[in-house]
Amino acid sequence: MENTAENKKIVLSAIQPTGTPTLGNYLGALKNWKKMSAENDCIYAVADLHSLTVRPEPQQLRRRTLDMYAILLALGLDPEKNIVFVQSHVPQHSQLAWILNCCTQFGEASRMTQFKDKSEKHPENVNVGLFTYPVLMAADILLYQADYVPIGEDQKQHLEITRDIAERFNTVYGETFKLPEPYIGKAGARVMSLQDPRQKMSKSDPNPKGFISMLDDDSVILKKIKSAVTDSEAKVRYAEGKDGINNLMAIYSCCTGKSYEETEKEFDGKGYGDFKAAVAEAVIEELRPFKEEFARLTADKAYLLECMTAGAEKAAHRAQRTLNKAMKKSGLFML
Ligand code: ATP
Ligand code: LTN
């Protein structure tokens, strides 16, 4: 993905403001957002409309949206070079989503595993928004003619449906949308829970010992990693059936750049206690600059609001071009 200044690839991604991101969100997605921002034309959003599907408390949603915006800037994303904005500030997302809803089959939306999982987990609120969630996500991506979408493994199916919807629109109405590719990193694509390493690490896990939040204090990180579930072999090696150790090795590798073989050598003859202490240290060092920047930014709300306003304007300008094209092609009467 090497690009010259004039030939930059368009990268788009978004994250819901449903709580402080975890180490899983960071290693699986956000770290790649930052990495890609240096060489590409990057557009990143806080997906607040998506989070309405779980009906958050309004006051909390407002606070978390601002916090998530600060988190994105604290990753080191430059709001001058990249577009960083809040989804609901750019109404073109909802407008295109409606058009795309009419190009999505009921059957294909019903097959989304996230929809099935979430409806099973929350049978009391299986709303239509939850069902059309991937269509809004398709609108987020297609509006900007994105080439790449950095996401964790769990979002792959949503990228596939995005491509299917785009292809269908292009076939029916003529070439309009670029077909995006997912960008899924090797290590870190699926960070597992520290308490149940067969489940993905999730910020909505009711047991906080299962996840590390990006804003956890150093002492909390150390404690959580020390109490991570492992096995009884007491040998640091990457192997089938050693889910807990495999997960810690993946985390260690993402934070230090060391391969699994190097790690196995480093901890040859040592126990899990030493290994866990080293993993904790690596995570703490990885998150330190981010936490310092977050503290600095949240103290300057005026600056955050200024960036948010400018980001929405830039995003809306780009989004309108594609929306106009899609409206025209689909036969909507335009003034
Ligand atoms: P929730 O747990 O509240 O359902 P989430 O933690 O999955 O949400 P999202 O906002 O849905 O968070 O995801 C943001 C990004 O983080 C997505 O690209 C997603 O693929 C990625 N991601 C989420 N969890 C993990 C994980 N455990 N490992 C790697 N990537 C992850
Ligand atoms: N569904 C995504 C969040 C999201 C997204 C997007 C990701 C909303 N719109 C567009 C990539 C591109 C999730 O992470 N759960």
Side-chain angles (χ1 to χ4, degrees), residues 158-195:
H158 288 163
L159 235 282
E160 283 157 15
I161 197 175
T162 298
R163 290 171 60 94
D164 292 343
I165 296 170
E167 233 173 340
R168 189 169 303 127
F169 188 99
N170 288 348
T171 307
V172 175
Y173 297 114
E175 207 53 32
T176 308
F177 299 119
K178 199 185 277 173
L179 300 192
E181 302 275 350
Y183 178 88
I184 300 177
K186 279 177 217 88
R190 195 168 166 82
V191 178
M192 309 310 281
S193 156
L194 298 176
Q195 290 300 309

Side-chain angles (χ1 to χ4, degrees), residues 271-288:
Y272 287 167
D274 288 338
F275 177 51
K276 283 178 166 178
V279 176
E281 190 53 35
V283 170
I284 289 167
E285 283 317 310
E286 176 74 26
L287 294 178
R288 188 186 308 286

Side-chain angles (χ1 to χ4, degrees), residues 12-16 47 50 114 133 137 140-141 149 151 155:
L12 180 132
S13 201
I15 184 164
Q16 302 184 73
H50 277 104
Q114 181 178 297
Y133 178 114
M137 180 162 161
D140 297 341
I141 299 167
V149 183
I151 40 170
Q155 293 296 312

